[in-house]
Amino acid sequence: EEDGSGVLGALSRLKISSCQMKKTIVVFDEAGCIPSYELLGLSRLGRSIYSLVCVGDKNQLPPYDPSSSRDYNNNRNAPRGATSRQQSVPQEPSVKSLLDVSKLSTDTGKVKLTRQYRVPRDIANLLNARIYLGDYVTAPECRAPSRGFNFVDVPE
């Protein structure tokens, strides 16, 4: 009501101390794929942020860089196989991910998860040996199939 005696008037007069306000916690899943500039969007929330939680894997895909000038169509007829893969040199991404810029350490809240439950065991073993250097263990109770690869001999 206009005179301030109704519900809206009562709510406008109610003072909530900061300890009574709900705490805003923002969770970024797949933070290794999210460009760091996405943090700017948090300013649109219009409230204080109590905590940021970044969940991700630095060994997965890097953030998408829209300014990248890669043209995949030009590479369509490029030679395939071990020789072309060996010649490709990984480039440092121009856009950093939230994980890249977080500077988290085990002293400041970083937790390394080392047990997986869903990847087929043969793929998990390959990832463990080649990417995670022994830190990617399949849980005994994992119900994923034993085989995920299907090798097909294709001549030439």
Side-chain angles (χ1 to χ4, degrees):
E1 299 172 4
E2 289 186 25
D3 64 0
S5 62
V7 175
L8 292 176
L11 286 175
S12 67
R13 289 188 305 274
L14 181 64
K15 293 184 180 178
I16 301 173
S17 71
S18 60
C19 64
Q20 292 175 318
M21 292 177 65
K22 290 185 178 180
K23 296 180 177 177
T24 301
I25 299 171
V26 178
V27 178
F28 288 101
D29 191 16
E30 299 293 344
C33 301
I34 300 173
S36 59
Y37 58 76
E38 292 292 336
L39 282 174
L40 295 172
L42 294 179
S43 64
R44 303 194 108 199
L45 286 177
R47 61 176 72 166
S48 298
I49 296 171
Y50 176 73
S51 180
L52 288 174
V53 177
C54 292
V55 180
D57 185 340
K58 67 183 179 93
N59 293 316
Q60 289 183 337
L61 292 172
Y64 171 70
D65 180 3
S67 66
S68 167
S69 61
R70 294 184 212 167
D71 184 359
Y72 295 106
N73 289 328
N74 288 342
N75 295 326
R76 186 182 299 180
N77 296 321
R80 289 175 171 70
T83 56
S84 64
R85 280 194 297 271
Q86 289 168 351
Q87 291 173 357
S88 66
V89 177
Q91 295 179 359
E92 184 70 23
S94 60
V95 175
K96 300 283 187 190
S97 74
L98 290 179
L99 286 182
D100 294 333
V101 301
S102 70
K103 306 278 191 228
L104 287 175
S105 69
T106 52
D107 296 332
T108 60
K110 183 177 186 179
V111 176
K112 182 177 184 181
L113 303 178
T114 59
R115 185 173 288 202
Q116 75 88 16
Y117 295 85
R118 61 185 179 146
V119 177
R121 294 176 193 273
D122 59 345
I123 296 173
N125 291 340
L126 179 67
L127 292 170
N128 186 31
R130 304 218 37 198
I131 296 176
Y132 296 99
L133 307 174
D135 288 339
Y136 191 69
V137 178
T138 299
E141 60 272 20
C142 175
R143 294 187 179 169
S146 296
R147 293 192 51 193
F149 285 124
N150 185 18
F151 293 101
V152 177
D153 183 22
V154 179
E156 305 264 341

